Amino acid sequence: MTEVLLADITVFVLSVLVGFEVITKVPATLHTPLMSGANAIHGVVLVGVMIIAASIDTTIGCLLLFVAAVFATANVVGGYVVTDRMLEMFRAGPRADR
């Protein structure tokens, strides 16, 4: 095992532990807004997919790139849909006359 691989594995394990600790501290009422915002940030993954698409020349690479694009797009769209549904709760609706 090389030093670079060991460093990458260490960073991955530490990020999983920190992420788990942070998410477990979030109250249930804030979990949905937090996740919808995180899903919307997956637009960065779509930018990465577009950058990598310029250098892919194998069939398996194209297949993996397509799968990454589909998953990232689903996260982005899902994040905006959930955010829109949450904001809909705060919009003033038609009021009944008193």
Side-chain angles (χ1 to χ4, degrees):
M1 187 178 319
T2 65
E3 289 182 24
V4 174
L5 180 60
L6 184 61
D8 289 344
I9 291 172
T10 303
V11 168
F12 176 74
V13 169
L14 289 175
S15 65
V16 167
L17 294 174
V18 169
F20 180 77
E21 190 65 28
V22 168
I23 292 299
T24 56
K25 302 293 184 215
V26 174
T29 56
L30 295 178
H31 186 70
T32 301
L34 176 69
M35 291 310 297
S36 68
N39 287 348
I41 292 174
H42 270 91
V44 174
V45 175
L46 284 174
V47 172
V49 165
M50 289 186 275
I51 291 170
I52 293 173
S55 64
I56 295 297
D57 56 354
T58 63
T59 305
I60 190 72
C62 289
L63 180 65
L64 289 174
L65 189 72
F66 176 75
V67 170
V70 167
F71 285 153
T73 302
N75 266 338
V76 170
V77 171
Y80 283 119
V81 167
V82 170
T83 302
D84 186 54
R85 290 171 84 190
M86 285 186 312
L87 291 175
E88 189 68 35
M89 294 186 303
F90 296 106
R91 291 191 183 122
R95 292 186 171 190
D97 292 336
R98 292 184 178 184

